[in-house]
Amino acid sequence: MLVDSHAHLNFEAYKDDLSEVIGRCLQEQMKVINVGAAYDTSLKAVNLALVEPSFYSAIGLHPIHIYDEEFNVEHYQDLIRSSKGRVVAIGETGLDYFHLWQSLEKGVKDIAAVKAKQAKIFREHIKLAQQNNLALIIHGRNGKEDKTAYQDIYQVLKDEGATRGVVHCYGGNLAEAKQFVELGFYLGFTGIVTFDKTGGLEEIIKWIPANKILIETDAPYLAPVPNRGKRNEPAYVKHVAEKIAEIKNKSVEEIIEVTGNNATKLFNL
Ligand SMILES: [Zn+2]
């Protein structure tokens, strides 16, 4: 079963042709988890999942949006309650050290304050996931110079006793990857694997056991080769599976099956 474990068909990028994009997902007989980044996109993800049986939703406030709106836990709790079981994860949540300057433009006094607020809201998401017995979808991104985002995420997860979720669009190093897997987390890989020239992702994919891998598009972003630069969509996730199969010297059918089973198990699909 082909599963795109992280897409945003709930975003504006699909407002003109959403039904065609959904049609292509149905053609692939795939499952898709649409992930919220703020309250409105979380609500949209839930609503999509309520009308389309092969779609599921994750709800949360992305760390880059924490100065745009308040993280109102009660509102998210209500959304879970009214979703008829179609919310399968909390996220995306986490720490983003790449976009810290954007938060400073919104009137925050210094970087330390931004980081502290991100961490506080991340912890609130973790508690919400634990209280509702849901998986976490974690976003991490290092800064250009500040490479501590994944270490800090690991520390928060450990402190909070979190063991269930995925570190999506994994961008940490191999040592950090080993720590997350040891804690019980899956790692999610996007179309970046098809054009990464650093060799960093390849090294991690060679090491990681197939039963800890999730595949994802992060659509509309990060379209894999051969669609690089275009708007991404869930059906393209098979190109991610193909590249991982090539790196791990396995058949693409096997990678699709294992990663589909992983997603089914993690999110109770
Ligand atoms: Zn995303």
Side-chain angles (χ1 to χ4, degrees):
M1 163 72 68
L2 190 62
V3 178
D4 181 357
S5 62
H6 191 116
H8 300 287
L9 298 187
N10 47 339
F11 281 13
E12 283 288 294
Y14 303 98
K15 69 175 173 14
D16 295 328
D17 62 345
L18 181 61
S19 55
E20 282 93 335
V21 177
I22 292 174
R24 290 192 284 275
C25 296
L26 298 182
Q27 238 165 36
E28 297 288 339
Q29 299 187 304
M30 65 188 302
K31 291 183 175 177
V32 178
I33 298 173
N34 285 307
V35 182
Y39 186 78
D40 62 342
T41 51
S42 294
L43 180 61
K44 261 193 197 163
V46 172
N47 286 338
L48 277 172
L50 283 169
V51 295
E52 181 44 63
S54 56
F55 284 8
Y56 301 83
S57 63
I59 61 172
L61 182 63
H62 193 293
I64 68 169
H65 292 312
I66 59 171
Y67 291 98
D68 300 330
E69 65 187 58
E70 189 196 343
F71 179 61
N72 187 322
V73 183
E74 276 313 306
H75 288 175
Y76 285 87
Q77 184 61 63
D78 288 346
L79 205 46
I80 296 168
R81 240 177 251 127
S82 62
S83 77
K84 301 184 176 130
R86 308 296 293 165
V87 173
V88 296
I90 297 299
E92 47 190 302
T93 180
L95 304 176
D96 189 312
Y97 293 175
F98 191 81
H99 293 105
L100 290 169
W101 59 273
Q102 279 184 357
S103 294
L104 287 182
E105 283 177 352
K106 290 166 188 166
V108 192
K109 65 176 193 312
D110 57 32
I111 293 288
V114 180
K115 284 187 172 182
K117 183 161 180 178
Q118 284 193 11
K120 176 176 173 281
I121 290 172
F122 181 25
R123 286 176 197 271
E124 289 171 5
H125 281 79
I126 295 170
K127 290 195 178 80
L128 184 64
Q130 288 168 334
Q131 281 159 7
N132 290 279
N133 200 15
L134 293 170
L136 283 163
I137 293 181
I138 296 163
H139 167 96
R141 192 159 178 196
N142 283 324
K144 283 215 173 77
E145 269 111 49
D146 183 345
K147 305 291 182 195
T148 59
Y150 286 90
Q151 288 158 37
D152 290 351
I153 287 170
Y154 175 75
Q155 205 50 56
V156 170
L157 292 173
K158 232 183 144 193
D159 285 355
E160 297 293 334
T163 54
R164 182 174 163 210
V166 56
V167 185
H168 111 90
C169 191
Y170 187 69
N173 62 30
L174 178 62
E176 289 156 353
K178 289 180 177 174
Q179 288 185 306
F180 288 118
V181 168
E182 206 171 298
L183 211 54
F185 282 80
Y186 293 80
L187 300 186
F189 297 96
T190 63
I192 294 176
V193 299
T194 68
F195 53 81
D196 175 48
K197 300 269 188 281
T198 68
L201 280 178
E202 191 168 329
E203 183 189 28
I204 291 164
I205 289 166
K206 277 190 176 141
W207 164 78
I208 191 172
N211 66 3
K212 298 309 289 186
I213 297 175
L214 294 189
I215 55 173
E216 57 170 294
T217 57
D218 205 12
Y221 315 112
L222 305 175
V225 174
N227 302 303
R228 192 169 180 203
K230 296 189 192 150
R231 185 188 66 174
N232 203 355
E233 65 176 69
Y236 298 165
V237 78
K238 55 180 184 272
H239 301 301
V240 177
E242 283 161 7
K243 185 64 189 184
I244 291 174
E246 182 193 312
I247 294 170
K248 290 191 91 61
N249 210 2
K250 292 185 192 264
S251 72
V252 64
E253 292 78 13
E254 188 181 342
I255 293 300
I256 287 172
E257 190 191 328
V258 177
T259 56
N261 289 342
N262 295 343
T264 302
K265 191 172 149 202
L266 175 62
F267 299 113
N268 273 326
L269 303 184

